[in-house]
């Protein structure tokens, strides 16, 4: 409490107004009550004892009155001294009890018992805890003393009893009871008020939590919507740049490469923000597919080798021999994302030397295998004091990292969260300018032979030449892009500008598959698919449908399969991804 009281203050109201804590306010009131009642009782003693010539009693009461007046004055001007005053009052009470026994009364009378109770009560209300327990034991000691010594032995030799006559003790007994009642009342009132304050605080907290949650949810919706809006035009930019490159003359190729590189960079930033957003809301779920890690790592290696070669770095892939023919159940997309992030960083932050990706089988038991992954480099390293921080979102090792190397500081935060889904944690071993090694251990389930065959079959490419696909899309740029791309693969196309047109077209023409946008005017992709699945011609009703969407809803797969579509591909997509998806979906039907 900040004290702003004058040296001579006589207003309790002012003191209480400065103290926000209801329990502390009650403590001040309890001490003042005890002091005021002590003065009244001592005045009674002075009056009666003087009448009967009990000078020691008069002296003791006089001292007590003086101390009480001084304490009241201090408390009213410096309430922060309350804890010290509480201790002194309890010690004085202890002295009074002992002096009653040894000097004035020589046995335990009702006033002494009241004082013992009062001291116990006040010590818990004012001080509490172990210290209050100590005072309690000390004030109980006189009772023990009485049990140990007979009545005659209590008073030290030569001291004559000066017990107050009943006309003095009766009002004191009454005043003690009053102190009891008021002290209890004050503390109970403060306790109740305190509980009400806590309840109100709790309700406010719940309200704030709900508001924060709503805010987080709306931020996530905002990010999803924004990225959806960004991804659709980006699809056109990336796709067209890719197509243009085929027809471009040599000097245009460099410009197109830069255009494609920048668009892909922008896409990866959008994807990072989205992924982080999804992982923050626990919306990422792992898919479990049979995966040959050797093949997967080979793909990642060749995907990154161009980047490494550009910087003159050696990109080494070490694979434990035992992994060669093993197929494990895992999410290849997310695992690839983790390795790509780590190895991408390693290449980015290394100027010369080697980047090594290594997979080591640790233990193989029944159908389980522990694999230790590590990505190490000979780059700039990470100072020990920044090694924890770099896993936080939007955090980089130093303030000039973005300027020198680019990036958003989201990659490692995503890696950390993704690895949590794999029940793993990332470890970093690095020092300034001595390279860095990121490593983690994942426990995989090994696949049965039948699943292994599936995995190997899925990896086989199939030509799309000669197929005829229906493009259902309302965005002209995307239609143009798909037409050009598919014609490059010698796939014939038809176009419908909305879901209803697609259903009508399918009734009059034959197609091998449909590429279906989701959000369209007149009839959306979900309703169009449901209508197609109800067609009477079984060949048309069962036509393979692949959704092409910029949506990032975490229930997308569930939604499109419930509507009757086979799979989806995200906008913007790389041509290879579309080719692979078409192979996967159309292959079993047409080959
Ligand atoms: P970004 O790479 O987009 O900046 P990350 O979250 O992937 O974000 O990395 C965070 C930071 O950690 C980087 O900015 C860099 O300072 C540091 N870092 C990550 N990997 C390495 C590495 N292999 N060598 C040195 N520093 C690294």
């Amino acid at each position: 409490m900040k004290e702003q009281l004058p040296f001579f203050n006589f207003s309790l109201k002012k003191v209480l107004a400065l103290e926000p804590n209801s329990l502390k306010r009650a403590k001040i009131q309890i001490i003042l009550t005890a002091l005021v009642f002590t003065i009244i009782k001592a005045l009674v003693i002075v009056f009666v004892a003087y009448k009967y010539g009990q000078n020691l009693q008069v002296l003791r009461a006089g001292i007590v009155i003086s101390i009480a007046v001084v304490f009241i004055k201090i408390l009213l001007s410096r309430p922060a001294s309350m804890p010290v005053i509480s201790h002194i009052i309890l010690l004085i009470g202890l002295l009074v009890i002992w002096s009653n026994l040894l000097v004035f009364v020589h046995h335990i009378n009702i006033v002494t018992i009241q004082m013992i109770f009062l001291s116990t009560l006040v010590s818990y209300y004012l001080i509490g805890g172990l210290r209050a327990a100590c005072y309690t034991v000390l004030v109980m000691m006189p009772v023990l003393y009485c049990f140990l010594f007979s009545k005659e032995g209590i008073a030290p030799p030569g001291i004559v009893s000066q017990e107050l006559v009943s006309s003095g003790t009766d009002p004191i007994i009454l005043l003690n009871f009053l102190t009891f009642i008021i002290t209890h009342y004050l503390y109970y009132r403060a306790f109740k008020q305190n509980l009400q304050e806590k309840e109100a605080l709790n309700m406010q907290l719940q309200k704030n939590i709900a508001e924060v949650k709503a805010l987080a949810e709306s931020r996530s919706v905002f990010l999803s919507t924004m990225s959806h809006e960004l991804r659709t035009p980006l699809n056109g930019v990336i796709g067209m740049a890719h197509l243009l490159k085929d027809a471009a003359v040599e000097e245009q190729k460099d410009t197109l490469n830069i255009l494609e590189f920048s668009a892909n960079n922008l896409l990866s930033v959008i994807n990072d923000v989205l992924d982080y957003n999804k992982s923050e809301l626990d919306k990422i779920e792992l898919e479990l597919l049979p995966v040959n890690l050797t093949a997967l790592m080979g793909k990642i290696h060749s995907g990154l080798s161009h980047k490494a070669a550009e910087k003159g770095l050696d990109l080494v892939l070490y694979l434990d021999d035992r992994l060669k023919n093993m197929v494990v159940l895992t999410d290849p997309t997310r695992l690839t994302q983790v390795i790509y992030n780590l190895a991408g960083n390693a290449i980015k932050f290394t100027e010369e030397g080697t980047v090594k990706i290594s997979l080591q089988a640790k233990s193989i038991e029944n159908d389980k295998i522990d694999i230790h992954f590590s990505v190490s480099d000979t780059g700039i390293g990470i100072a020990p004091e920044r090694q924890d921080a770099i896993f936080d979102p939007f955090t980089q090792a130093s303030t000039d990292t973005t300027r020198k190397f680019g990036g958003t500081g989201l990659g490692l935060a995503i890696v950390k969260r993704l690895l949590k889904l794999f029940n793993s944690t990332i470890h970093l071993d690095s020092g300034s300018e001595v390279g860095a090694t990121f490593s983690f251990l994942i426990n995989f389930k090994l696949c049965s032979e039948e699943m292994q065959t599936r995995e190997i079959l899925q990896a086989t490419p199939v030509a799309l030449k000669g197929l005829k696909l229906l493009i259902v899309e309302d965005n002209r740029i995307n239609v143009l892009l798909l037409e050009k791309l598919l014609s490059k693969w010698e796939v014939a196309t038809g176009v419908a500008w909305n879901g209803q047109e697609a259903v009508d077209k399918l009734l009059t023409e034959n197609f091998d598959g449909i590429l279906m946008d989701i959000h369209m005017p007149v009839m959306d992709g979900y309703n169009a698919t449901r209508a197609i699945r109800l067609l009477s011609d079984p060949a048309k009703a069962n036509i393979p449908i692949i959704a092409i969407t910029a949506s990032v809803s975490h229930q997308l797969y569930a939604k499109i399969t419930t509507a009757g579509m086979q799979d989806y591909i995200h906008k913007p997509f790389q041509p290879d991804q579309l080719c692979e998806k078409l192979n996967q979906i159309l292959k079993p039907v047409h080959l």
Side-chain angles (χ1 to χ4, degrees), residues 345 348-349 377 381-382 390 395-397 401 407-412 438:
N345 273 348
K348 185 160 75 171
F349 295 107
D377 62 63
I382 301 149
I390 56 165
T395 311
Q396 300 184 314
T401 306
T408 54
L410 274 178
L412 289 179
F438 289 87

Side-chain angles (χ1 to χ4, degrees), residues 466-481:
L467 292 177
K468 188 179 178 193
L469 298 182
L470 177 61
I471 301 167
V472 190
E473 165 74 87
D474 62 327
N475 182 309
R476 281 179 192 280
I477 308 273
N478 285 337
V479 170
L480 197 68
L481 171 68

Side-chain angles (χ1 to χ4, degrees), residues 205-219:
L205 204 69
Q206 302 284 349
K207 210 174 130 209
N208 289 356
I209 291 173
E211 275 174 14
V212 170
K213 272 191 182 161
L215 213 67
E217 192 69 32
S218 69
R219 187 192 62 171

Side-chain angles (χ1 to χ4, degrees), residues 41-246:
K41 285 183 281 185
L43 283 174
V44 172
I45 294 172
V46 168
F47 181 73
V48 176
Y50 181 72
K51 199 173 157 193
Y52 289 94
Q54 295 172 323
N55 295 338
L56 259 180
Q57 282 276 28
V58 175
L59 181 68
R60 183 175 71 156
I63 294 171
V64 168
I65 291 172
S66 319
I67 295 174
V69 169
V70 171
F71 281 173
I72 290 175
K73 193 256 153 249
I74 296 176
L75 214 56
L76 286 178
S77 56
R78 297 285 177 268
S81 55
M82 180 187 64
V84 182
I85 293 180
S86 306
H87 281 287
I88 301 176
I89 289 177
L90 284 165
L91 286 171
I92 291 175
L94 201 64
L95 271 179
V96 171
I97 292 169
W98 275 104
S99 62
N100 259 4
L101 206 65
L102 300 176
V103 182
F104 298 100
V105 186
H106 298 176
H107 66 99
I108 295 200
N109 64 3
I110 184 158
V111 175
T112 311
I113 289 175
Q114 277 186 323
M115 286 194 67
I116 291 173
F117 274 124
L118 210 53
S119 295
T120 309
L121 185 79
V122 169
S123 65
Y124 276 107
Y125 281 179
L126 295 187
I127 296 167
L130 198 64
R131 289 181 199 168
C134 291
Y135 279 116
T136 314
V137 172
L138 287 175
V139 292
M140 295 293 282
M141 295 294 260
V143 182
L144 201 69
Y145 182 87
C146 268
F147 280 134
L148 293 177
F149 298 99
S150 62
K151 265 190 177 178
E152 301 79 52
I154 287 177
I159 291 192
V160 184
S161 157
Q162 285 196 15
E163 187 166 3
L164 216 58
V165 293
S166 65
S167 56
T169 49
D170 289 350
I172 290 173
I173 291 169
L174 187 74
L175 288 166
N176 277 343
F177 275 127
L178 271 177
T179 319
F180 265 126
I181 294 166
I182 295 174
T183 307
H184 270 310
Y185 168 73
L186 288 172
Y187 203 80
Y188 169 76
R189 196 181 61 173
F191 185 67
K192 202 172 148 198
Q193 202 177 339
N194 204 264
L195 274 183
Q196 283 166 347
E197 281 168 9
K198 290 238 159 73
E199 253 169 49
L201 218 65
N202 234 336
M203 273 163 66
Q204 185 62 38
L205 204 69
Q206 302 284 349
K207 210 174 130 209
N208 289 356
I209 291 173
E211 275 174 14
V212 170
K213 272 191 182 161
L215 213 67
E217 192 69 32
S218 69
R219 187 192 62 171
S220 132
V221 171
F222 170 75
L223 276 175
S224 303
T225 317
M226 276 306 290
S227 65
H228 181 275
E229 297 306 313
L230 289 170
R231 286 158 81 101
T232 306
L234 209 52
N235 191 36
V237 175
I238 292 175
M240 288 305 176
H242 185 85
L243 287 173
L244 268 177
K245 259 179 19 188
D246 291 345

